[in-house]
Structure formats: structure tokens, C-alpha cells
Amino acid sequence: MSFYYSVASGSSGNCAVWQSGETSVLIDLGVSVRALNQALHRIDMEIPDLSAVLLTHEHTDHIKGLATFVKKYELPVYASFGTAAAILQKLPQAKKNLRMFAGGEEFSVDQLHVQSMPISHDAAEPVAYRIDGGGHQLGYVTDTGFLSEKVRQTICGCDTVVLESNHDVDMLKHGPYPFYLQQRIRGKLGHLSNEACAVEALEAVKNGAKRLVLAHLSDKNNNPLTALRCTQHALSGADCEVYVAPRGAMEQPIPLTEEEKPCCMFD
């Protein structure tokens, strides 16, 4: 059994579970441990069922729950050297959990093979991931201003691909953010727009993706239906399921709209 489960995805927090075969990993920890526990209970899991945590970078919306997590659990937390160094400056107690690697390095987590990919973002050493095992392949690419050809090649053949669809260009331009922040978001060290995501989504589908998850939607400059329609239009009826990851941690059971699901995908 394999599935992708989005705990939270957006400006306020990012966290997801990938299970393939007998191994489950957490990607980022941008929610409280309490919220994580509540989310895992919905899929009959607990934190000790996880094999590891994979961090993409050190921004707060990706490591918010780490301080409490390392106090309570001995699970390994994988991070690039740059990400780990940035974390240790503020959270030295995380050293016992951290397993460090260079961006681009490959490693194993139980039955899963993990390949890290350097990406373009305003963080110390941010990475994306390709995870192979259990008969499935996940490509996870968020928080990047663009996809390099190396990243495109690395996620080629992944049956499930998570792509950032952060902002609608017009909503960002006419929204509440000051000009300098708009420039940062639009820049090469910023975030993918809906339109840029749609281009990469089409490329991923051409190379074998059967399931796409649109992730890290801005709270102020995007909405799920706009992001979904942009990518669906680009795919033009291709044989691929498209989901939008919920933006907030689901601390209370709530009805989810058709276009904003928790992204549980089982086979």
C-alpha cells in the first residue's frame, strides 16, 4: 500500500506523509506536534510509525514543530548541511536527531531510496526530493523560483509528483504585499506561480506522472480553484489525477471541498 497524505501545505505550515511499501516518512515539520498527531490519527498512524523526517529547508513554516519533536522522539531528521547548520544556530538540541547530507546526495531510509536535489530558494541549502521504493516514485518539489533541468530529469518517471503552485500572478500584483516582497516571491529565489507550476506539471505528466499534488498555495495571493483550473487547463484532459493540498493543518475534522482534499491516494 502506498499513499501521499498532506497534513498542511501553505504559508503557515508545511508537512506531509509519504508511505510506500512498509516505510513511511514525514516531509517537513511545519506544524505543531499536537496537530501532527491529530492528523496521523485520521489515517490510523502514530509518530513512532514513521521511519524519518526529511526537511527541505529551515524556514519556520517547514520546521515549526521541530523543537518539541526532538524533545519527545528519537527519529532521525534528515537535512542538508546548510539547513542543519541554520537549524542548530537556534536549536542546538536537534543535533542528536539530525542526519546531514550534501545537496544532491542520495541515501536510504529503510526500504526507500532518497535522492536530494538542490533547488533555488532564499534559504541556506534548500532541497527537493525524489523517493523510490515499494513500487512507486515520489517527486517532491516546493519552495523554488524555478525548476532546473537537473530537477526535471531527476523527477522524470515519478508516478506521483508534488509541485508548488504558490501564487496567481495577477493576485500577487494587486494584492496586499509590498513591492519588494512581490519581487522576492516572483524572483529566482522565490516561489513558483500557478502558470509556472502548470508548465512543469505538463512536463511531469509527459514523463509518467499519474498523480499531481499542487502544494504550498499562498494564503493571500492564490486560491485552490484558481490553481487547480490553471494546471488542468495546461494538461488538456491528460490521464492524470490532480489534487490541491489543504493549506492549513486540520486540527478539527472539517468537510473538505472537492478541489481541496487531504490528498490520500492509495493503491
Side-chain angles (χ1 to χ4, degrees), residues 7-8 12-15 26 29-40 47 60-61 63-69 72-73 249 251:
V7 176
S12 59
N14 296 273
C15 183
L26 197 70
L29 187 47
V31 300
S32 68
V33 170
R34 177 177 176 270
L36 175 59
N37 271 314
Q38 290 177 335
L40 290 179
I47 289 176
T60 302
D61 58 321
I63 65 163
K64 189 183 303 179
L66 189 60
T68 301
F69 187 89
K72 294 185 174 183
Y73 302 99
E251 298 199 19

Side-chain angles (χ1 to χ4, degrees), residues 126-183:
V127 296
Y129 291 105
R130 174 179 174 137
I131 306 175
D132 290 74
H136 290 275
Q137 310 83 35
L138 172 73
Y140 188 94
V141 188
T142 69
D143 294 78
T144 185
F146 69 98
L147 266 66
S148 67
E149 190 56 36
K150 178 65 174 177
V151 171
R152 291 192 188 103
Q153 291 174 358
T154 301
I155 66 173
C156 181
C158 289
D159 55 46
T160 302
V161 176
V162 180
L163 285 173
E164 175 175 55
S165 192
N166 177 257
H167 60 278
D168 174 82
V169 173
D170 288 336
M171 289 178 69
L172 177 64
K173 182 178 179 180
H174 300 290
Y177 286 4
F179 183 67
Y180 80 89
L181 186 53
Q182 294 182 32
Q183 287 185 306

Side-chain angles (χ1 to χ4, degrees), residues 55-56 78-85 99-103 124-127 129:
L55 297 180
T56 60
Y78 288 84
S80 69
F81 285 115
T83 298
R99 307 290 185 271
M100 291 173 257
F101 60 85
E125 191 183 0
V127 296
Y129 291 105

Side-chain angles (χ1 to χ4, degrees), residues 11-14 27-31 53-67 77-91 94 98 101 119-129 142-143 184 189 191 216:
S11 305
S12 59
N14 296 273
I27 304 175
D28 284 331
L29 187 47
V31 300
V53 180
L54 309 179
L55 297 180
T56 60
H57 62 293
E58 74 279 7
H59 289 168
T60 302
D61 58 321
H62 295 261
I63 65 163
K64 189 183 303 179
L66 189 60
V77 176
Y78 288 84
S80 69
F81 285 115
T83 298
I87 289 171
L88 289 172
Q89 286 183 357
K90 295 183 178 181
L91 195 63
L98 284 172
F101 60 85
I119 55 175
S120 178
H121 194 51
D122 54 356
E125 191 183 0
V127 296
Y129 291 105
T142 69
D143 294 78
R184 178 240 168 192
L189 296 178
H191 295 274
H216 210 297

